[in-house]
Amino acid sequence: MDLRYEAPATHSLEALAHYLGRPDDSLLEAILDVYTREGFTALGAQIESERVIADTSRIYSHAFDVWSNATPEQRDALMGFSPELLAVGVDRALALKIAFDESAGEHSSEETLSDPKQIGARASYNRALLLREQAKTVLRTIASRNEALRLHVDSLIGTGDDADSLAASLDQMAELCDEFLEHDGDSLSTRVRLARLSHDYVAKLVAAAADVRGSAAQARASVRKLPADHKQRKAELDFLDGVNLHVLGEVVHAFEAAHDLEAEIPRLAPIATRRLLGRRSKNTLAKRGAALPTGEAPARR
């Protein structure tokens, strides 16, 4: 697999969260059992959140692509890595990204998740948005010169662009499609056949609506609101940074070891977090984190 480690990500964290699904709580608990909370916090205090977000966004995208296209032999070589581990990493990276945006004062976590500028990056939202535009065009074509019917189609778009509004719009369009499909022996039914409108397409609209709702709910569930107190907020971000560094380190080192066995498997070298996640630094990572006195506040880089 020809993949340069510095190549940009091909999937957003939001898209990866959609593809992989929310991990089971027991998987996250197993990760959190590795260090104490103080250990994770001390580890995360050594680096800026932006650096962690940058490397998780890039490396997890590459890891997903490599695993998706790997041969059985290559997957055997990737011992220590699993889609479940990646799902936990993506879940925590997305939680960190949203928490960091909140801490920076851009939005509260709830506003971030309902804002189309944020949720629009989610793959399911983008696909559903395109599907809604397609359905609008198809329905307007079938409505033909019936101006009242065309205006009704336009009204189904609604005024909001958040996940709930988009899902409601798709459901309403599905209902109108069903009504069109009930026509028989008139010009509208002829246009239905010309457009190849079908009950399968109706099911596709309904499924897209459910997917958008589910993805938004999943994203909201993965976010932990930051405390109001500045010191507590910083400690929470440091904790999330530490958890992300640990999971990212597991992924990086699994690919490093697999590359030694199968040269076709690329190394997923860290860039922004290189100081902490350099080659063969797994033991050093543990020492830098868990072994630090909890009162110590190492300089961020």
Side-chain angles (χ1 to χ4, degrees):
M1 298 178 185
D2 184 14
L3 176 68
R4 298 188 306 164
Y5 69 81
E6 70 272 18
T10 56
H11 311 286
S12 67
L13 287 173
E14 291 85 352
L16 291 173
H18 169 72
Y19 297 146
L20 295 165
R22 189 185 181 201
D24 188 271
D25 289 342
S26 63
L27 299 178
L28 179 58
E29 290 172 4
I31 293 293
L32 296 180
D33 193 47
V34 175
Y35 303 148
T36 63
R37 183 179 181 87
E38 291 77 15
F40 280 120
T41 302
L43 174 61
Q46 300 176 73
I47 194 167
E48 296 288 347
S49 297
E50 298 100 316
R51 292 178 175 270
V52 180
I53 294 169
D55 268 1
T56 53
S57 298
R58 177 179 54 84
I59 289 175
Y60 290 162
S61 175
H62 293 331
F64 177 81
D65 284 339
V66 172
W67 180 263
S68 298
N69 296 288
T71 65
E73 293 75 18
Q74 289 167 342
R75 288 190 175 189
D76 285 343
L78 278 165
M79 185 62 62
F81 174 82
S82 67
E84 291 79 12
L85 175 64
L86 185 59
V88 172
V90 168
D91 179 82
R92 292 299 83 199
L94 186 56
L96 172 62
K97 179 183 174 185
I98 295 172
F100 177 75
D101 286 345
E102 178 193 343
S103 179
E106 293 182 10
H107 300 284
S108 72
S109 63
E110 286 297 323
E111 289 170 342
T112 298
L113 289 168
S114 62
D115 187 336
K117 290 180 293 186
Q118 296 292 329
I119 202 169
R122 185 176 297 278
S124 61
Y125 183 93
N126 285 340
R127 286 197 301 273
L129 196 62
L130 293 172
L131 187 60
R132 183 179 70 176
E133 289 304 307
Q134 181 192 59
K136 175 186 174 182
T137 300
V138 171
L139 291 171
R140 282 176 58 87
T141 299
I142 294 172
S144 187
R145 291 184 295 175
N146 187 326
E147 188 62 24
L149 196 50
R150 288 169 68 91
L151 288 174
H152 176 60
V153 172
D154 292 344
S155 73
L156 299 182
I157 298 298
T159 57
D161 278 323
D162 58 18
D164 290 336
S165 296
L166 176 56
S169 179
L170 289 169
D171 281 336
Q172 291 171 343
M173 286 183 163
E175 292 177 5
L176 184 57
C177 285
D178 274 333
E179 292 180 21
F180 282 1
L181 286 166
E182 291 176 0
H183 280 254
D184 185 31
D186 57 11
S187 59
L188 191 146
S189 65
T190 301
R191 291 192 295 273
V192 165
R193 290 200 305 274
L194 289 173
R196 291 193 300 111
L197 186 63
S198 66
H199 290 292
D200 286 342
Y201 188 74
V202 175
K204 187 176 181 179
L205 294 176
V206 173
D211 191 32
V212 167
R213 288 192 182 96
S215 295
Q218 184 183 87
R220 292 187 184 103
S222 71
V223 178
R224 175 176 176 175
K225 288 285 289 182
L226 290 179
D229 179 76
H230 175 73
K231 289 184 178 180
Q232 290 180 326
R233 289 165 68 90
K234 181 181 181 301
E236 184 64 29
L237 276 177
D238 286 344
F239 172 69
L240 283 171
D241 284 334
V243 172
N244 274 281
L245 280 171
H246 171 69
V247 180
L248 182 61
E250 295 293 314
V251 173
V252 166
H253 295 111
F255 272 78
E256 180 73 33
H259 175 78
D260 292 343
L261 294 171
E262 293 282 346
E264 288 296 308
I265 298 174
R267 292 189 177 101
L268 300 182
I271 298 176
T273 59
R274 181 181 294 154
R275 180 175 60 86
L276 293 178
L277 297 181
R279 192 171 187 266
R280 305 298 190 191
S281 64
K282 189 172 183 179
N283 292 332
T284 304
L285 180 64
K287 292 176 183 177
R288 287 174 174 171
L292 274 173
T294 56
E296 185 176 342
R300 288 175 174 260
R301 296 183 185 175

